[in-house]
């Protein structure tokens, strides 16, 4: 019985299966992070401060991005290992070892598909797709709770040791790495600034729409593994993705129609769609409440073990 535990609703959770599924999703998240960064790098719109610094240093030293980023991560990993090893997990290893090499791979693949000079419309496309994929990967990777990257673990450690607000420490950390990236001629651009200061909002969006629900489905599947449950989870996530795209399109349509006014029939249709969206949001709320109950139970179990 040591490989199973119970959630708040007394359902049996297969811990090895749950860990395996979360590890797979952590790998997916890390790969999406690299893919998004590759789009931004190839589009010459800038990448996140840490990778921008590593790319610049790699060029200066004549090494590959993957190799230098691994070295930089190892230095930070030792710091995290000394001061707060609780933040280290399998996901930490995935991130520190794979991201740099995957960015290089995807960048090479990108140049094969889109050879030649990058136009301004293409740069805009790369920036939008890059940041959406990058933040989605970050959200999924963090939602697995299998550890954070050494770079992301640095600010919480400094904040805890110095008693300075985390937000201020993280901002200072990103600014310092951006400055170093500029000094070493790294791929600095508008998206470097965006990922440092504004990507959090997109990550929160993905948390609320995709990642937490995905982890909830993993927990449920770990309790009752079956093809039916797996298919149901995939269908639910697919439907959720469709709802996000559909909602974004509907918001655009509404903004356009506000310029010319509505007919009575259009208002009735919007009322119906709004009611449908409210019902969908209630379903999401139920899923999130279930996830919250599971997290509270896990926290209580850990506190009981510590006593």
């Amino acid at each position: 019985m040591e490989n199973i535990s119970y959630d708040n609703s007394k359902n049996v959770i297969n811990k090895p299966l749950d860990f395996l599924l979360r590890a797979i999703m952590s790998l997916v998240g890390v790969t999406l992070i690299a893919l998004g960064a590759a789009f931004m790098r190839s589009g010459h719109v800038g990448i996140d401060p840490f990778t921008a610094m590593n790319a610049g240093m790699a060029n200066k030293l004549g090494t590959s991005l993957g190799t230098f980023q691994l070295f930089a991560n190892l230095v930070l990993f030792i710091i995290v290992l000394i001061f707060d090893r609780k933040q280290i997990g399998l996901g930490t290893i995935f991130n520190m070892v794979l991201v740099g090499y995957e960015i290089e791979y995807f960048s090479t693949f990108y140049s094969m598909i889109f050879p030649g000079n990058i136009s301004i419309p293409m740069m805009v496309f790369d920036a939008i797709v890059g940041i959406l994929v990058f933040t989605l990967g970050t959200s999924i990777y963090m939602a697995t709770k299998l550890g954070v990257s050494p770079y992301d673990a640095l600010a919480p450690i400094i904040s805890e040791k110095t008693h300075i607000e985390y937000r201020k420490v993280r901002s200072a950390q990103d600014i310092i790495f951006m400055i170093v990236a500029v000094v070493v001629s790294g791929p600095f651009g508008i998206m470097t600034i965006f990922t440092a200061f504004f990507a959090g909002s997109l990550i929160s969006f993905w948390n609320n729409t995709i990642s937490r629900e995905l982890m909830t489905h993993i927990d449920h599947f770990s309790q009752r593994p079956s093809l039916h449950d797996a298919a149901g989870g995939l269908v639910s996530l697919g439907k959720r993705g469709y709802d996000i795209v559909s909602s974004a399109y509907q918001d655009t349509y509404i903004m356009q129609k506000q310029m010319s006014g509505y007919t009575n029939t259009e208002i009735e249709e919007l009322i119906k769609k709004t009611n449908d969206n409210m019902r969908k949001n209630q379903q999401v709320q139920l899923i999130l409440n279930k996830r919250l109950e599971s997290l509270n139970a896990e926290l209580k179990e850990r506190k009981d073990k510590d006593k």
Side-chain angles (χ1 to χ4, degrees):
M1 296 295 291
E2 55 189 18
N3 283 333
I4 58 175
S5 64
Y6 294 85
D7 72 0
N8 202 39
S9 60
K10 307 301 183 183
N11 289 321
V12 178
I13 295 179
N14 186 321
K15 280 190 173 182
L17 177 59
D18 189 71
F19 179 83
L20 174 62
L21 293 175
R22 285 174 179 267
I24 292 173
M25 293 316 302
S26 180
L27 271 174
V28 170
V30 165
T31 301
L32 289 176
I33 290 172
L35 179 60
F39 266 98
M40 293 186 286
R41 182 193 189 198
S42 300
H44 305 294
V45 292
I47 50 181
D48 64 280
F50 182 60
T51 307
M53 183 205 72
N54 291 333
M57 289 297 297
N59 288 333
K60 294 286 186 184
L61 298 175
T63 64
S64 68
L65 168 61
T67 300
F68 186 85
Q69 184 142 318
L70 176 58
F71 171 78
N73 272 320
L74 283 172
V75 173
L76 296 181
F77 180 80
I78 293 173
I79 296 174
V80 177
L81 190 64
I82 294 173
F83 291 102
D84 192 3
R85 63 182 61 192
K86 294 191 298 296
Q87 299 198 58
I88 296 173
L90 183 61
T92 308
I93 308 301
F94 288 158
N95 186 292
M96 63 185 289
V97 173
L98 296 177
V99 169
Y101 291 109
E102 287 185 338
I103 290 175
E104 288 185 304
Y105 172 79
F106 288 129
S107 296
T108 302
F109 193 67
Y110 179 99
S111 63
M112 293 170 58
I113 299 177
F114 304 108
N117 296 328
I118 303 295
S119 64
I120 292 179
M122 196 64 184
M123 291 174 68
V124 174
F125 172 81
D126 289 335
I128 294 174
V129 172
I131 194 62
L132 289 176
V133 174
F134 180 90
T135 51
L136 173 60
T138 303
S139 173
I140 293 174
Y141 160 73
M142 294 175 67
T144 62
K145 305 296 184 184
L146 294 182
V148 299
S149 70
Y151 181 81
D152 290 326
L154 197 59
I157 292 174
I158 296 175
S159 177
E160 182 179 349
K161 300 298 180 182
T162 61
H163 304 291
I164 300 175
E165 185 181 351
Y166 167 80
R167 180 177 58 84
K168 295 180 180 178
V169 174
R170 182 58 190 249
S171 296
Q173 174 182 316
D174 287 332
I175 290 172
I176 290 171
F177 276 84
M178 278 193 291
I179 293 173
V180 176
V182 172
V183 170
V184 298
S185 302
F188 179 87
I190 185 62
M191 299 312 292
T192 308
I193 299 174
F194 188 94
T195 54
F197 298 109
F198 306 109
S201 298
L202 277 174
I203 293 172
S204 295
F205 170 77
W206 293 125
N207 286 342
N208 294 329
T209 55
I210 297 292
S211 301
R212 287 172 183 161
E213 184 174 351
L214 176 61
M215 293 306 112
T216 299
H217 285 303
I218 285 178
D219 288 343
H220 289 171
F221 182 79
S222 298
Q223 295 167 8
R224 296 180 299 275
S226 70
L227 289 177
H228 179 269
D229 286 345
L234 291 174
V235 169
S236 177
L237 288 172
K239 186 174 183 298
R240 186 62 181 158
Y242 170 80
D243 289 341
I244 293 170
V245 175
S246 177
S247 177
Y249 172 79
Q250 183 63 33
D251 288 343
T252 303
Y253 173 76
I254 289 174
M255 290 177 64
Q256 293 173 340
K257 292 298 294 182
Q258 283 175 340
M259 302 297 292
S260 58
Y262 298 105
T263 65
N264 290 343
T265 302
E266 288 171 336
I267 292 177
E268 291 173 355
E269 182 65 21
L270 286 174
I271 290 173
K272 179 178 180 298
K273 289 181 178 179
T274 301
N275 286 328
D276 289 341
N277 286 333
M278 290 175 63
R279 283 193 292 271
K280 292 173 183 176
N281 287 333
Q282 289 174 351
Q283 293 173 355
V284 172
Q285 184 65 41
L286 290 174
I287 292 174
L288 292 178
N289 286 336
K290 181 71 175 177
R291 178 63 175 166
L292 182 60
E293 291 176 2
S294 177
L295 290 171
N296 285 329
E298 176 68 17
L299 181 60
K300 183 179 183 301
E301 180 181 339
R302 293 186 181 186
K303 288 182 176 179
D304 291 340
K305 290 180 179 178
D306 293 337
K307 290 181 180 179

